[in-house]
mmCIF file of all heavy atoms in Angstrom:
data_model
loop_
_atom_site.group_PDB
_atom_site.id
_atom_site.type_symbol
_atom_site.label_atom_id
_atom_site.label_comp_id
_atom_site.label_asym_id
_atom_site.label_seq_id
_atom_site.Cartn_x
_atom_site.Cartn_y
_atom_site.Cartn_z
ATOM 1 N N GLY A 20 9.158 6.035 -14.013
ATOM 2 C CA GLY A 20 10.475 6.460 -13.593
ATOM 3 C C GLY A 20 10.662 6.259 -12.104
ATOM 4 O O GLY A 20 11.175 5.253 -11.658
ATOM 5 N N PHE A 21 10.230 7.234 -11.302
ATOM 6 C CA PHE A 21 10.289 7.093 -9.874
ATOM 7 C C PHE A 21 9.327 8.063 -9.194
ATOM 8 O O PHE A 21 8.826 9.003 -9.824
ATOM 9 C CB PHE A 21 11.723 7.385 -9.358
ATOM 10 C CG PHE A 21 12.066 8.867 -9.364
ATOM 11 C CD1 PHE A 21 11.830 9.637 -8.240
ATOM 12 C CD2 PHE A 21 12.601 9.467 -10.474
ATOM 13 C CE1 PHE A 21 12.108 11.000 -8.249
ATOM 14 C CE2 PHE A 21 12.886 10.820 -10.498
ATOM 15 C CZ PHE A 21 12.659 11.588 -9.365
ATOM 16 N N THR A 22 9.067 7.810 -7.929
ATOM 17 C CA THR A 22 8.324 8.758 -7.087
ATOM 18 C C THR A 22 9.122 8.938 -5.822
ATOM 19 O O THR A 22 9.820 8.023 -5.359
ATOM 20 C CB THR A 22 6.909 8.279 -6.790
ATOM 21 O OG1 THR A 22 6.162 9.363 -6.188
ATOM 22 C CG2 THR A 22 6.897 7.090 -5.859
ATOM 23 N N PHE A 23 9.092 10.124 -5.276
ATOM 24 C CA PHE A 23 9.885 10.473 -4.079
ATOM 25 C C PHE A 23 8.980 10.355 -2.847
ATOM 26 O O PHE A 23 8.018 11.087 -2.687
ATOM 27 C CB PHE A 23 10.403 11.882 -4.223
ATOM 28 C CG PHE A 23 11.515 12.248 -3.269
ATOM 29 C CD1 PHE A 23 12.695 11.505 -3.218
ATOM 30 C CD2 PHE A 23 11.405 13.368 -2.443
ATOM 31 C CE1 PHE A 23 13.708 11.830 -2.374
ATOM 32 C CE2 PHE A 23 12.450 13.702 -1.586
ATOM 33 C CZ PHE A 23 13.600 12.954 -1.527
ATOM 34 N N LEU A 24 9.266 9.363 -2.001
ATOM 35 C CA LEU A 24 8.455 9.069 -0.832
ATOM 36 C C LEU A 24 8.960 9.876 0.366
ATOM 37 O O LEU A 24 10.091 9.720 0.806
ATOM 38 C CB LEU A 24 8.503 7.586 -0.520
ATOM 39 C CG LEU A 24 7.764 7.087 0.725
ATOM 40 C CD1 LEU A 24 6.252 7.203 0.493
ATOM 41 C CD2 LEU A 24 8.130 5.633 1.014
ATOM 42 N N VAL A 25 8.118 10.735 0.936
ATOM 43 C CA VAL A 25 8.429 11.495 2.133
ATOM 44 C C VAL A 25 7.224 11.460 3.099
ATOM 45 O O VAL A 25 6.127 11.772 2.738
ATOM 46 C CB VAL A 25 8.744 12.963 1.802
ATOM 47 C CG1 VAL A 25 10.095 13.128 1.175
ATOM 48 C CG2 VAL A 25 7.676 13.585 0.878
ATOM 49 N N ASP A 26 7.368 10.897 4.241
ATOM 50 C CA ASP A 26 8.579 10.502 4.959
ATOM 51 C C ASP A 26 8.732 9.001 4.902
ATOM 52 O O ASP A 26 7.739 8.282 5.008
ATOM 53 C CB ASP A 26 8.423 10.991 6.396
ATOM 54 C CG ASP A 26 9.584 10.702 7.324
ATOM 55 O OD1 ASP A 26 10.667 10.289 6.856
ATOM 56 O OD2 ASP A 26 9.420 10.876 8.537
ATOM 57 N N SER A 27 9.959 8.520 4.776
ATOM 58 C CA SER A 27 10.190 7.089 4.679
ATOM 59 C C SER A 27 10.709 6.465 5.982
ATOM 60 O O SER A 27 11.211 5.362 5.960
ATOM 61 C CB SER A 27 11.143 6.769 3.529
ATOM 62 O OG SER A 27 12.379 7.402 3.727
ATOM 63 N N GLY A 28 10.571 7.201 7.081
ATOM 64 C CA GLY A 28 10.940 6.589 8.354
ATOM 65 C C GLY A 28 11.496 7.467 9.447
ATOM 66 O O GLY A 28 11.802 6.978 10.545
ATOM 67 N N ALA A 29 11.605 8.750 9.242
ATOM 68 C CA ALA A 29 12.205 9.610 10.286
ATOM 69 C C ALA A 29 11.224 10.038 11.349
ATOM 70 O O ALA A 29 11.599 10.177 12.500
ATOM 71 C CB ALA A 29 12.840 10.843 9.603
ATOM 72 N N ASN A 30 9.963 10.255 10.960
ATOM 73 C CA ASN A 30 8.974 10.792 11.902
ATOM 74 C C ASN A 30 7.746 9.880 11.963
ATOM 75 O O ASN A 30 6.895 9.928 11.082
ATOM 76 C CB ASN A 30 8.528 12.205 11.449
ATOM 77 C CG ASN A 30 9.727 13.142 11.274
ATOM 78 O OD1 ASN A 30 10.231 13.689 12.251
ATOM 79 N ND2 ASN A 30 10.166 13.324 10.027
ATOM 80 N N VAL A 31 7.687 9.106 13.027
ATOM 81 C CA VAL A 31 6.590 8.145 13.149
ATOM 82 C C VAL A 31 5.286 8.842 13.557
ATOM 83 O O VAL A 31 4.217 8.564 13.033
ATOM 84 C CB VAL A 31 6.937 7.044 14.168
ATOM 85 C CG1 VAL A 31 5.749 6.129 14.421
ATOM 86 C CG2 VAL A 31 8.135 6.243 13.662
ATOM 87 N N ASP A 32 5.374 9.767 14.504
ATOM 88 C CA ASP A 32 4.188 10.513 14.971
ATOM 89 C C ASP A 32 4.201 11.885 14.359
ATOM 90 O O ASP A 32 5.119 12.681 14.608
ATOM 91 C CB ASP A 32 4.178 10.584 16.484
ATOM 92 C CG ASP A 32 4.099 9.221 17.138
ATOM 93 O OD1 ASP A 32 3.187 8.460 16.772
ATOM 94 O OD2 ASP A 32 4.933 8.921 18.019
ATOM 95 N N CYS A 33 3.187 12.188 13.582
ATOM 96 C CA CYS A 33 3.165 13.459 12.847
ATOM 97 C C CYS A 33 1.886 14.256 13.081
ATOM 98 O O CYS A 33 0.857 13.730 13.469
ATOM 99 C CB CYS A 33 3.311 13.174 11.362
ATOM 100 S SG CYS A 33 4.919 12.611 10.836
ATOM 101 N N LYS A 34 2.012 15.545 12.813
ATOM 102 C CA LYS A 34 0.853 16.465 12.744
ATOM 103 C C LYS A 34 0.624 16.834 11.307
ATOM 104 O O LYS A 34 1.518 16.676 10.459
ATOM 105 C CB LYS A 34 1.149 17.707 13.574
ATOM 106 C CG LYS A 34 1.365 17.470 15.062
ATOM 107 C CD LYS A 34 1.685 18.763 15.791
ATOM 108 C CE LYS A 34 1.927 18.502 17.291
ATOM 109 N NZ LYS A 34 2.256 19.760 18.032
ATOM 110 N N ALA A 35 -0.551 17.318 11.016
ATOM 111 C CA ALA A 35 -0.894 17.654 9.627
ATOM 112 C C ALA A 35 0.059 18.694 9.046
ATOM 113 O O ALA A 35 0.450 18.605 7.879
ATOM 114 C CB ALA A 35 -2.335 18.164 9.580
ATOM 115 N N LYS A 36 0.497 19.639 9.846
ATOM 116 C CA LYS A 36 1.373 20.688 9.325
ATOM 117 C C LYS A 36 2.753 20.107 8.956
ATOM 118 O O LYS A 36 3.437 20.676 8.101
ATOM 119 C CB LYS A 36 1.526 21.844 10.313
ATOM 120 C CG LYS A 36 2.100 21.470 11.680
ATOM 121 C CD LYS A 36 2.158 22.696 12.576
ATOM 122 C CE LYS A 36 2.726 22.335 13.947
ATOM 123 N NZ LYS A 36 2.804 23.553 14.830
ATOM 124 N N TYR A 37 3.141 19.022 9.633
ATOM 125 C CA TYR A 37 4.403 18.361 9.256
ATOM 126 C C TYR A 37 4.277 17.787 7.850
ATOM 127 O O TYR A 37 5.194 17.929 7.017
ATOM 128 C CB TYR A 37 4.738 17.215 10.202
ATOM 129 C CG TYR A 37 4.944 17.593 11.666
ATOM 130 C CD1 TYR A 37 5.038 16.594 12.633
ATOM 131 C CD2 TYR A 37 4.971 18.906 12.085
ATOM 132 C CE1 TYR A 37 5.210 16.905 13.974
ATOM 133 C CE2 TYR A 37 5.156 19.244 13.423
ATOM 134 C CZ TYR A 37 5.272 18.218 14.369
ATOM 135 O OH TYR A 37 5.428 18.528 15.676
ATOM 136 N N LEU A 38 3.133 17.135 7.586
ATOM 137 C CA LEU A 38 2.957 16.536 6.260
ATOM 138 C C LEU A 38 2.944 17.597 5.157
ATOM 139 O O LEU A 38 3.415 17.357 4.050
ATOM 140 C CB LEU A 38 1.643 15.725 6.235
ATOM 141 C CG LEU A 38 1.554 14.533 7.185
ATOM 142 C CD1 LEU A 38 0.316 13.714 6.910
ATOM 143 C CD2 LEU A 38 2.779 13.637 7.137
ATOM 144 N N GLU A 39 2.360 18.755 5.472
ATOM 145 C CA GLU A 39 2.375 19.838 4.482
ATOM 146 C C GLU A 39 3.814 20.236 4.154
ATOM 147 O O GLU A 39 4.160 20.424 2.977
ATOM 148 C CB GLU A 39 1.607 21.045 5.025
ATOM 149 C CG GLU A 39 1.593 22.199 4.078
ATOM 150 C CD GLU A 39 1.195 23.521 4.721
ATOM 151 O OE1 GLU A 39 1.191 23.607 5.976
ATOM 152 O OE2 GLU A 39 0.903 24.487 3.991
ATOM 153 N N GLN A 40 4.660 20.360 5.209
ATOM 154 C CA GLN A 40 6.043 20.698 4.968
ATOM 155 C C GLN A 40 6.803 19.617 4.239
ATOM 156 O O GLN A 40 7.658 19.878 3.416
ATOM 157 C CB GLN A 40 6.757 21.036 6.310
ATOM 158 C CG GLN A 40 6.426 22.419 6.842
ATOM 159 C CD GLN A 40 7.483 22.883 7.831
ATOM 160 O OE1 GLN A 40 8.306 22.126 8.321
ATOM 161 N NE2 GLN A 40 7.439 24.160 8.154
ATOM 162 N N PHE A 41 6.454 18.378 4.559
ATOM 163 C CA PHE A 41 7.102 17.236 3.837
ATOM 164 C C PHE A 41 6.853 17.402 2.346
ATOM 165 O O PHE A 41 7.762 17.189 1.513
ATOM 166 C CB PHE A 41 6.527 15.897 4.283
ATOM 167 C CG PHE A 41 6.831 15.536 5.732
ATOM 168 C CD1 PHE A 41 6.227 14.433 6.303
ATOM 169 C CD2 PHE A 41 7.701 16.299 6.504
ATOM 170 C CE1 PHE A 41 6.487 14.083 7.626
ATOM 171 C CE2 PHE A 41 7.989 15.959 7.820
ATOM 172 C CZ PHE A 41 7.361 14.844 8.389
ATOM 173 N N GLY A 42 5.617 17.737 1.996
ATOM 174 C CA GLY A 42 5.260 17.909 0.572
ATOM 175 C C GLY A 42 6.068 19.062 -0.031
ATOM 176 O O GLY A 42 6.537 18.921 -1.179
ATOM 177 N N LYS A 43 6.232 20.145 0.679
ATOM 178 C CA LYS A 43 6.980 21.300 0.153
ATOM 179 C C LYS A 43 8.454 20.971 -0.038
ATOM 180 O O LYS A 43 9.039 21.284 -1.073
ATOM 181 C CB LYS A 43 6.784 22.515 1.060
ATOM 182 C CG LYS A 43 5.385 23.091 1.041
ATOM 183 C CD LYS A 43 5.265 24.317 1.929
ATOM 184 C CE LYS A 43 3.874 24.921 1.805
ATOM 185 N NZ LYS A 43 3.730 26.155 2.657
ATOM 186 N N MET A 44 9.039 20.341 0.983
ATOM 187 C CA MET A 44 10.468 19.999 0.893
ATOM 188 C C MET A 44 10.731 18.937 -0.186
ATOM 189 O O MET A 44 11.712 19.030 -0.932
ATOM 190 C CB MET A 44 10.980 19.545 2.255
ATOM 191 C CG MET A 44 11.051 20.661 3.284
ATOM 192 S SD MET A 44 11.912 20.212 4.833
ATOM 193 C CE MET A 44 10.696 19.124 5.591
ATOM 194 N N GLY A 45 9.834 17.980 -0.263
ATOM 195 C CA GLY A 45 9.943 16.945 -1.291
ATOM 196 C C GLY A 45 9.807 17.527 -2.677
ATOM 197 O O GLY A 45 10.550 17.133 -3.609
ATOM 198 N N SER A 46 8.925 18.480 -2.830
ATOM 199 C CA SER A 46 8.724 19.112 -4.112
ATOM 200 C C SER A 46 9.941 19.897 -4.566
ATOM 201 O O SER A 46 10.378 19.831 -5.706
ATOM 202 C CB SER A 46 7.506 20.043 -4.061
ATOM 203 O OG SER A 46 7.275 20.687 -5.279
ATOM 204 N N VAL A 47 10.551 20.650 -3.612
ATOM 205 C CA VAL A 47 11.773 21.403 -3.917
ATOM 206 C C VAL A 47 12.893 20.449 -4.327
ATOM 207 O O VAL A 47 13.608 20.711 -5.294
ATOM 208 C CB VAL A 47 12.208 22.221 -2.686
ATOM 209 C CG1 VAL A 47 13.607 22.773 -2.856
ATOM 210 C CG2 VAL A 47 11.234 23.368 -2.437
ATOM 211 N N TYR A 48 13.010 19.341 -3.633
ATOM 212 C CA TYR A 48 14.097 18.411 -3.881
ATOM 213 C C TYR A 48 13.954 17.744 -5.278
ATOM 214 O O TYR A 48 14.901 17.720 -6.055
ATOM 215 C CB TYR A 48 14.102 17.298 -2.833
ATOM 216 C CG TYR A 48 15.370 16.465 -2.796
ATOM 217 C CD1 TYR A 48 16.448 16.899 -2.049
ATOM 218 C CD2 TYR A 48 15.511 15.318 -3.545
ATOM 219 C CE1 TYR A 48 17.640 16.189 -1.997
ATOM 220 C CE2 TYR A 48 16.694 14.602 -3.516
ATOM 221 C CZ TYR A 48 17.747 15.034 -2.757
ATOM 222 O OH TYR A 48 18.903 14.324 -2.761
ATOM 223 N N VAL A 49 12.757 17.299 -5.566
ATOM 224 C CA VAL A 49 12.531 16.632 -6.873
ATOM 225 C C VAL A 49 12.699 17.597 -8.036
ATOM 226 O O VAL A 49 13.269 17.254 -9.084
ATOM 227 C CB VAL A 49 11.117 15.981 -6.889
ATOM 228 C CG1 VAL A 49 10.760 15.534 -8.284
ATOM 229 C CG2 VAL A 49 11.082 14.803 -5.948
ATOM 230 N N GLU A 50 12.216 18.820 -7.856
ATOM 231 C CA GLU A 50 12.310 19.783 -8.951
ATOM 232 C C GLU A 50 13.756 20.197 -9.241
ATOM 233 O O GLU A 50 14.138 20.334 -10.396
ATOM 234 C CB GLU A 50 11.487 21.036 -8.623
ATOM 235 C CG GLU A 50 11.500 22.071 -9.734
ATOM 236 C CD GLU A 50 10.376 23.080 -9.637
ATOM 237 O OE1 GLU A 50 9.653 23.069 -8.615
ATOM 238 O OE2 GLU A 50 10.241 23.876 -10.563
ATOM 239 N N ASN A 51 14.547 20.351 -8.191
ATOM 240 C CA ASN A 51 15.881 20.919 -8.393
ATOM 241 C C ASN A 51 16.997 19.848 -8.481
ATOM 242 O O ASN A 51 18.016 20.121 -9.111
ATOM 243 C CB ASN A 51 16.199 21.880 -7.239
ATOM 244 C CG ASN A 51 15.332 23.134 -7.298
ATOM 245 O OD1 ASN A 51 15.606 24.026 -8.044
ATOM 246 N ND2 ASN A 51 14.252 23.119 -6.512
ATOM 247 N N VAL A 52 16.836 18.709 -7.866
ATOM 248 C CA VAL A 52 17.830 17.669 -7.978
ATOM 249 C C VAL A 52 17.577 16.757 -9.152
ATOM 250 O O VAL A 52 18.496 16.367 -9.904
ATOM 251 C CB VAL A 52 17.922 16.846 -6.676
ATOM 252 C CG1 VAL A 52 18.844 15.624 -6.841
ATOM 253 C CG2 VAL A 52 18.421 17.715 -5.537
ATOM 254 N N PHE A 53 16.313 16.418 -9.393
ATOM 255 C CA PHE A 53 15.958 15.488 -10.476
ATOM 256 C C PHE A 53 15.386 16.169 -11.695
ATOM 257 O O PHE A 53 15.065 15.522 -12.701
ATOM 258 C CB PHE A 53 15.016 14.417 -9.963
ATOM 259 C CG PHE A 53 15.605 13.588 -8.846
ATOM 260 C CD1 PHE A 53 15.103 13.652 -7.555
ATOM 261 C CD2 PHE A 53 16.683 12.757 -9.099
ATOM 262 C CE1 PHE A 53 15.663 12.909 -6.533
ATOM 263 C CE2 PHE A 53 17.220 11.996 -8.045
ATOM 264 C CZ PHE A 53 16.715 12.085 -6.794
ATOM 265 N N GLY A 54 15.187 17.485 -11.640
ATOM 266 C CA GLY A 54 14.801 18.236 -12.828
ATOM 267 C C GLY A 54 13.369 18.058 -13.259
ATOM 268 O O GLY A 54 13.020 18.289 -14.424
ATOM 269 N N VAL A 55 12.449 17.695 -12.333
ATOM 270 C CA VAL A 55 11.025 17.548 -12.657
ATOM 271 C C VAL A 55 10.339 18.884 -12.399
ATOM 272 O O VAL A 55 10.210 19.338 -11.263
ATOM 273 C CB VAL A 55 10.386 16.451 -11.796
ATOM 274 C CG1 VAL A 55 8.898 16.306 -12.144
ATOM 275 C CG2 VAL A 55 11.100 15.124 -11.995
ATOM 276 N N LYS A 56 9.887 19.532 -13.439
ATOM 277 C CA LYS A 56 9.253 20.835 -13.315
ATOM 278 C C LYS A 56 7.862 20.730 -12.710
ATOM 279 O O LYS A 56 7.055 19.879 -13.100
ATOM 280 C CB LYS A 56 9.172 21.520 -14.662
ATOM 281 C CG LYS A 56 10.545 21.798 -15.291
ATOM 282 C CD LYS A 56 11.381 22.704 -14.398
ATOM 283 C CE LYS A 56 12.751 22.965 -14.997
ATOM 284 N NZ LYS A 56 13.612 23.780 -14.079
ATOM 285 N N ASN A 57 7.603 21.581 -11.733
ATOM 286 C CA ASN A 57 6.286 21.600 -11.049
ATOM 287 C C ASN A 57 5.799 20.210 -10.670
ATOM 288 O O ASN A 57 4.744 19.732 -11.132
ATOM 289 C CB ASN A 57 5.242 22.284 -11.936
ATOM 290 C CG ASN A 57 3.968 22.656 -11.178
ATOM 291 O OD1 ASN A 57 4.011 22.855 -9.968
ATOM 292 N ND2 ASN A 57 2.873 22.710 -11.881
ATOM 293 N N PRO A 58 6.561 19.480 -9.866
ATOM 294 C CA PRO A 58 6.211 18.070 -9.573
ATOM 295 C C PRO A 58 4.864 17.915 -8.897
ATOM 296 O O PRO A 58 4.449 18.759 -8.085
ATOM 297 C CB PRO A 58 7.335 17.648 -8.615
ATOM 298 C CG PRO A 58 7.879 18.904 -8.060
ATOM 299 C CD PRO A 58 7.738 19.933 -9.132
ATOM 300 N N SER A 59 4.166 16.886 -9.268
ATOM 301 C CA SER A 59 2.863 16.585 -8.646
ATOM 302 C C SER A 59 3.077 15.946 -7.284
ATOM 303 O O SER A 59 3.990 15.168 -7.073
ATOM 304 C CB SER A 59 2.054 15.619 -9.546
ATOM 305 O OG SER A 59 2.796 14.431 -9.800
ATOM 306 N N VAL A 60 2.233 16.334 -6.355
ATOM 307 C CA VAL A 60 2.329 15.886 -4.971
ATOM 308 C C VAL A 60 0.992 15.207 -4.571
ATOM 309 O O VAL A 60 -0.083 15.762 -4.789
ATOM 310 C CB VAL A 60 2.612 17.048 -4.004
ATOM 311 C CG1 VAL A 60 2.679 16.561 -2.561
ATOM 312 C CG2 VAL A 60 3.881 17.766 -4.388
ATOM 313 N N ALA A 61 1.089 14.021 -3.994
ATOM 314 C CA ALA A 61 -0.111 13.284 -3.582
ATOM 315 C C ALA A 61 0.045 12.822 -2.149
ATOM 316 O O ALA A 61 1.181 12.650 -1.636
ATOM 317 C CB ALA A 61 -0.369 12.093 -4.473
ATOM 318 N N LEU A 62 -1.059 12.639 -1.444
ATOM 319 C CA LEU A 62 -1.098 12.218 -0.074
ATOM 320 C C LEU A 62 -1.521 10.760 0.028
ATOM 321 O O LEU A 62 -2.559 10.351 -0.538
ATOM 322 C CB LEU A 62 -2.093 13.071 0.718
ATOM 323 C CG LEU A 62 -2.298 12.758 2.195
ATOM 324 C CD1 LEU A 62 -1.042 13.053 3.001
ATOM 325 C CD2 LEU A 62 -3.479 13.618 2.750
ATOM 326 N N VAL A 63 -0.741 9.929 0.678
ATOM 327 C CA VAL A 63 -1.078 8.489 0.805
ATOM 328 C C VAL A 63 -2.319 8.361 1.685
ATOM 329 O O VAL A 63 -2.397 8.915 2.785
ATOM 330 C CB VAL A 63 0.080 7.714 1.443
ATOM 331 C CG1 VAL A 63 -0.319 6.260 1.640
ATOM 332 C CG2 VAL A 63 1.319 7.772 0.557
ATOM 333 N N ASN A 64 -3.269 7.594 1.183
ATOM 334 C CA ASN A 64 -4.530 7.395 1.921
ATOM 335 C C ASN A 64 -5.134 6.055 1.526
ATOM 336 O O ASN A 64 -4.688 5.383 0.583
ATOM 337 C CB ASN A 64 -5.494 8.544 1.652
ATOM 338 C CG ASN A 64 -6.446 8.793 2.790
ATOM 339 O OD1 ASN A 64 -6.769 7.908 3.564
ATOM 340 N ND2 ASN A 64 -6.869 10.049 2.944
ATOM 341 N N ILE A 65 -6.185 5.663 2.245
ATOM 342 C CA ILE A 65 -6.831 4.395 1.958
ATOM 343 C C ILE A 65 -7.845 4.474 0.835
ATOM 344 O O ILE A 65 -8.412 3.470 0.428
ATOM 345 C CB ILE A 65 -7.514 3.827 3.222
ATOM 346 C CG1 ILE A 65 -8.539 4.836 3.770
ATOM 347 C CG2 ILE A 65 -6.488 3.506 4.287
ATOM 348 C CD1 ILE A 65 -9.394 4.328 4.892
#
């Protein structure tokens, strides 16, 4: 279907606590706008 990418370009330089909040805000958005219950959240890494 789709995955919700956060952040896609607003914050180039980040701290770890920013990424944690990105995950929380993205989770709220996907659950309530797209109806995905308890959405899974993953961290992009190598």
Side-chain angles (χ1 to χ4, degrees):
F21 75 91
T22 191
F23 196 57
L24 177 69
V25 285
D26 181 10
S27 59
N30 304 280
V31 174
D32 298 309
C33 290
K34 297 179 181 179
K36 60 181 180 179
Y37 300 170
L38 299 188
E39 179 196 15
Q40 281 201 347
F41 295 171
K43 290 182 176 181
M44 291 190 287
S46 180
V47 168
Y48 196 88
V49 169
E50 182 163 6
N51 292 280
V52 173
F53 298 113
V55 179
K56 297 300 180 185
N57 194 26
S59 56
V60 179
L62 178 67
V63 177
N64 209 331
I65 57 173

